[in-house]
Amino acid sequence: MLNISLTPAQEAAIQTAIDALRANLPFGINLTRQERTELPNIQDERYSFVNKVITNYAPANPALVSGFAGTLAEATTDFNLYNQLESFIEQLRGILEMYTDTQQVGGTEAYTFSREFYGSAQRAAQNNVPGSDAIVDDLGQLFEQSPPPPPLTPPPPPPPTP
């Protein structure tokens, strides 16, 4: 069992770090879901293309820079920002994964305990233990509203249709 909580000092330190991350990117952009899918993206498969244009071809061929999509200086600045943020994003993804996984384990353990307690209260109610009916009635409403937990293994694929 995890059985750990953050101290108030740890919570404050984490919040201070998050606030510092936000403060150090005051020009940060928040795209809509649609914008995220519509805007072209460098990612791994286009990185070499962009790198070669900005570092090799555009500086060596200034007459081919149309200015329609900005200047070489602006593109170089944008590409530098992309590269600067990339290493931070990779580190933050790892940290976010660790926080999310830790939260999931904490939630799983609390939910497992709660389900076991509810089952114990149900067994107690069957044996007329005083107060257990009220617990079962109250928790039963909440338990019924909860979506069922996902299966531990995915269901088998449907059989092929002839």
Side-chain angles (χ1 to χ4, degrees):
M1 292 197 76
L2 195 58
N3 196 26
I4 296 172
S5 290
L6 295 173
T7 66
Q10 289 170 316
E11 286 183 289
I14 292 167
Q15 188 59 57
T16 298
I18 291 170
D19 293 343
L21 288 170
R22 283 194 177 109
N24 280 292
L25 197 69
F27 50 85
I29 297 169
N30 187 26
L31 300 174
T32 65
R33 285 187 181 131
Q34 183 176 350
E35 289 170 327
R36 283 186 197 107
T37 59
E38 290 176 353
L39 287 174
N41 201 332
I42 291 179
Q43 297 302 325
D44 291 336
E45 63 274 0
R46 295 190 185 113
Y47 183 88
S48 295
F49 170 78
V50 173
N51 185 50
K52 193 166 266 193
V53 167
I54 291 175
T55 59
N56 296 348
Y57 289 121
N61 299 280
L64 298 178
V65 177
S66 69
F68 177 74
T71 66
L72 174 58
E74 291 168 337
T76 300
T77 300
D78 291 341
F79 192 51
N80 286 339
L81 176 64
Y82 178 88
N83 287 319
Q84 290 169 327
L85 293 176
E86 184 64 22
S87 69
F88 297 134
I89 290 169
E90 290 304 318
Q91 293 176 66
L92 290 169
R93 279 189 185 122
I95 292 168
L96 182 59
E97 182 178 307
M98 180 181 60
Y99 272 65
T100 303
D101 291 350
T102 304
Q103 179 192 38
Q104 183 174 350
V105 170
T108 296
E109 290 180 0
Y111 181 63
T112 300
F113 171 85
S114 299
R115 286 183 56 188
E116 180 58 34
F117 178 86
Y118 180 54
S120 180
Q122 288 175 315
R123 291 185 295 279
Q126 290 170 351
N127 291 310
N128 290 329
V129 174
S132 58
D133 282 334
I135 293 170
V136 169
D137 291 346
D138 185 42
L139 293 179
Q141 294 174 26
L142 298 172
F143 192 75
E144 300 294 323
Q145 293 173 2
S146 302
L152 296 176
T153 56
T161 54

